[in-house]
Structure formats: C-alpha cells, structure tokens
Amino acid sequence: MKAHDGMYIDGEWRPAAGPDTIAVVNPADEQVIAHVPAGTSEDVDAAVRAARAAFPAWAATPPAERAARIGALRDVLVARKDEIAETVTAELGSPLKFSHAVHVGAPIAVAGSYADLAASYAFEEKVGNSTVHLEPVGVVGAITPWNYPLHQIVAKVAPALAAGCTVVLKPAEDTPLVAQLFAEAVHEAGVPAGVFNLVTGLGPVAGQALAGHEGVDLVSFTGSTAVGRQIGATAGAAVKRVALELGGKSANVILPSADLAKAVNVGVANVMSNSGQTCSAWTRMLVHDSQYDEAVSLAAEAAAKYGERIGPVVNAKQQERVRGYIEKGVTEGARLVAGGPEAPREQGYFVSPTVFADVRPEMTIAQEEIFGPVLSIMRYEDEADALRIANGTVYGLAGAVWAGDETEAVAFARRLDTGQVDINGGRFNPRAPFGGYKQSGVGRELGSHGLSEYLQTKSLQF
Ligand code: NAP
Ligand code: MG
C-alpha cells in the first residue's frame, strides 16, 4: 500500500516533526502493510497555523467557487473509487464488495450533496429590520474514527469547506491510508493551500493537541463516549464549539403486525454489516412474546449465513473486547443461538456472527456498545413495555420500527428518544440530519443541518 511519510500541511507533504511512526495492519491477515508518521503537538501546531492563515481568504471565497471545489473533490473520489475501496479493505478489513458499496458510495454521495448545498444555501437572510449573515465559525479540528473511515472524514470536511471554514484532520490511527488518499484528492481538486490539513497520529498525542489547541474554533469528534466526554470538557473550558457523534445501542422494534421474516432478516444484516462496527446499528431486536421463538430461529439462521462472508473487526484489541462482551453475555445468563466467543479463524481478527436470545434489559450486552457482530434479541409484552425497553439505555442514536402499516410504525417512532428511525426498512439518506439524543452526542451531521453546525450568525439591524 502506498503511504506518505509526511503530513499534508499548507498544500504540501512535509516531513513530520518527530521520528515516530504508526504501523498500519491488515486485520484480515495481521500483516503490516505500511507505516505513517505519528504526529506530535508540533505538527498539529503547524497545521493549525496553516489553517488560520488560509481562513480569511477561504471564508471570503464566493459560495459558488467553494461549491466548485467540493464538486471537483467529489469527481476525484469518483475517479479513484477502486483505489479507495482497496485501501479501506486493506486497513479496515471490510469485504471489497462492501467497501465499494458503502465506504466509497457514501462519501461520494455526501461530497456531492455538499457541492449542491454550498451553491444553493442561503448564507444571508432577512428577519424584520435585520439582515442575518451566516458566517463560517473558523478553524475546525476534526477527529475521526476507523469504522467508516472515509465517510466520517467527508461528513466533517465537506460541510466545513462549504461553510467557509478551514480544517485540520486527525484520522484514526488504524485507518490513516484512506485519509492520506483523501488529502491527495483535496489537492487534486484545487482546494487552496492551508484550507485542508492532515496530521496522522495517536489520539492521546495528536488528537489531544488538536482538541486543546487555542487556534481551533470548533472541534468535531466522532468516536467513543469516553473520549467524547473528555473532548467536550476541554472545549467547554475553552468556550469553543464542539460537535460529538458518539456511541449507540439502538433498538429494532418489530410490532406484531409487521412482516416478521423481513424485519428479522434486515435486522440481522444491519448488525452484521461492517462486522458490527456501526454506531447506529440496531443491536437490540425487540420482539413480541407471541412471535419470539419464531424470530429467534429466523435470526439464528440468518446469522449463520454470515459466517463465511463477514470481515474481521479492526484490530486485536477490538477482537478481545467483543469476545469479552460475548463471554459476559453467557455469564449473565443470555442464551447463545448463533456464534460465540471462540475465534472462528486462526489468522485475522475475526469474530463469529453472534446472536443472543433471552436478553434482559439490565444485562451488560443490552446496555453497552459492543461494536462487533453481536445481536441481542429481547422479549416484550405490549407496546408500553417495548417503548420502555427501547428507550432504556443512555444512548439515543438510531433505531427501526416495523409494522403492518406506516402510520402505526410512525406513531411508535415518534415516541422513541433517538435521532433517526428507519420505518419498515427505510433507506439511508445522506441529506437527512444524523446525530444523537442523550449520550449519543451533541450536534448533527449531513445535509443542511450538518452545514449549519459550521456557521455562526451575525445580525445587522437597519
Ligand atoms: P476512540 O478512541 O474514541 O477513537 C476515535 C478518535 O479519537 C480516533 O481518531 C482516536 O485516535 C481519537 N482519540 C483517542 N483518544 C483521544 C484523546 N484523548 N484526545 C483526542 N482524540 C483522541 O475510539 P476507539 O478506541 O477507536 O474505539 C473504542 C470504542 O469506541 C469502540 O469499541 C466503540 O464502542 C466506540 N466507537 C464508536 C464510534 C462511532 O462511530 N460512534 C466509532 C469508533 C469507535 P486513535 O485512533 O489513535 O485512538
Ligand atoms: Mg482509541
């Protein structure tokens, strides 16, 4: 795999300040495929200075021109789509077909949506005797995880650039290669020097330096709740803006009138895709008493089909963590109906697609984010019971409701404490706001709501 041995700062690849490197490992075969530099606070400082210097001119660039650059960026991503898919497959381990469909498809759709939005958004509005200007917040520090490595970069960088902000990105240490490829694409798209900067490195070093840097006006973070809480505290103390996309423990609520087989099969696919490493995955399936046994056998059958097709999880630590949760589920008395804690292959960080039945709401596997291919099937007595179980975690990121008719499903969805709900298998919409209720986060990404996170208002009275 091709890797740069420097940082992308102020429009060029520059040597890193320090000598340390990060080994990039292919989780499917545990081989080291590349090394990238491990950035320090010095690299972060240089990148933030470049972003600050580029800010006034980029903020003053007409939206149509910013839109043209984002459109060009989208076109480069399209032209390099095979390379992107191969890179994500190599460093994340996802099957190539999935990389093409999702890890390439979603970022292209999101970049395209922001090319359109930058051109059409009303950056000025009239309110009575005032003219309200929507101005860019300034320099954005973006910190991203590895699970949808390019999508999460584009979901921050594209709206930031559309708004007129400049950016310093610290991508996940496990997936820096697609971030370097993205920096090349930004360069090829003719985005001016300093508008986008990349510092690869470790979270507690480069990430922390970026989150705490006084030259950063807004920190946008996606990842674990533990780190998000810390970043939120740092930002609060400095009175700077922060957006946090954190974990989830979403419910897939199957009402008795639903098409049970479809709801179960789509639900299992939702949890197993990307090896369960999706913050919005419906990891709790809620089924009525009368259909419970049938749902459990359908889910066990569906999960078994994933055995050969599923990719590894991202690294050895995540593999151990997920297996630890599976063991905990067994210890707490849940019933294994598919998979289990044993590693299914000798090489690679694989976890068997696992399904637990008889999961009770208070169990650890029903409360904590596992981030692996593990589904918990829970039983409810009536709608009130289903609602109480569905809303009974600290999270509120996503969910699903299935019912015989949409009106019934929508009525239930409106009572869920969560940021998005798929009705009878509704499709992902890259223009709909994405983000969490409760401890799933603060702020929204995607579409016009995602764009407004990077803007602040200035009111002129006449
Ligand atoms: P994480 O540590 O929160 O990583 C997210 C990003 O934050 C990475 O770029 C990481 O750098 C960086 N980071 C880590 N510590 C930091 C700090 N002190 N200051 C600033 N930045 C910091 O998540 P993880 O360790 O990769 O995964 C652990 C768990 O988090 C998963 O099992 C899952 O439950 C959850 N998670 C959720 C999402 C989501 O989409 N909501 C995504 C990934 C993980 P490094 O790459 O160097 O750690
Ligand atoms: Mg980490």
Side-chain angles (χ1 to χ4, degrees), residues 177-316:
L177 300 178
V178 77
Q180 291 190 336
L181 201 161
F182 177 77
E184 289 178 4
V186 169
H187 193 87
E188 271 180 66
V191 174
V195 170
F196 170 80
N197 306 275
L198 170 69
V199 176
T200 51
L202 301 178
V205 184
Q208 204 163 314
L210 182 58
H213 200 291
E214 59 178 23
V216 169
D217 301 295
L218 183 160
V219 182
S220 180
F221 169 82
T222 300
S224 63
T225 302
V227 175
R229 191 173 276 129
Q230 199 180 322
I231 286 175
T234 305
V239 197
K240 69 173 69 162
R241 289 233 216 157
V242 66
L244 306 171
E245 295 291 343
L246 308 176
K249 193 73 195 176
S250 300
N252 179 12
V253 182
I254 305 176
L255 297 174
S257 60
D259 177 341
L260 183 70
K262 186 174 174 199
V264 170
N265 283 315
V266 174
V268 170
N270 173 283
V271 174
M272 301 307 164
S273 77
N274 213 36
S275 305
Q277 304 167 122
T278 305
C279 49
S280 55
W282 314 327
T283 49
R284 297 177 298 146
M285 182 182 283
L286 275 56
V287 183
H288 189 259
D289 250 343
S290 62
Q291 297 171 317
Y292 193 78
D293 294 338
E294 192 185 348
V296 168
S297 60
L298 284 167
E301 224 174 280
K305 285 195 210 130
Y306 275 85
E308 291 305 307
R309 283 192 279 146
I310 199 162
V313 295
V314 71
N315 58 35

Side-chain angles (χ1 to χ4, degrees), residues 10 48-62 66 135-139 163-167 192-195 215 217:
D10 206 14
V48 173
R49 273 189 281 117
R52 276 244 82 84
F55 176 64
W58 184 247
T61 300
R66 298 201 300 256
E135 299 187 342
V137 170
V139 174
C165 292
T166 58
V167 180
V195 170
D217 301 295

Side-chain angles (χ1 to χ4, degrees), residues 143-144 146 170 172-173 203 207 221 224 246 279 318 321 369 371:
I143 300 174
T144 54
W146 40 262
K170 203 302 279 179
E173 68 186 86
F221 169 82
S224 63
L246 308 176
C279 49
Q318 285 297 117
R321 197 182 126 93
E369 182 172 57
F371 235 58

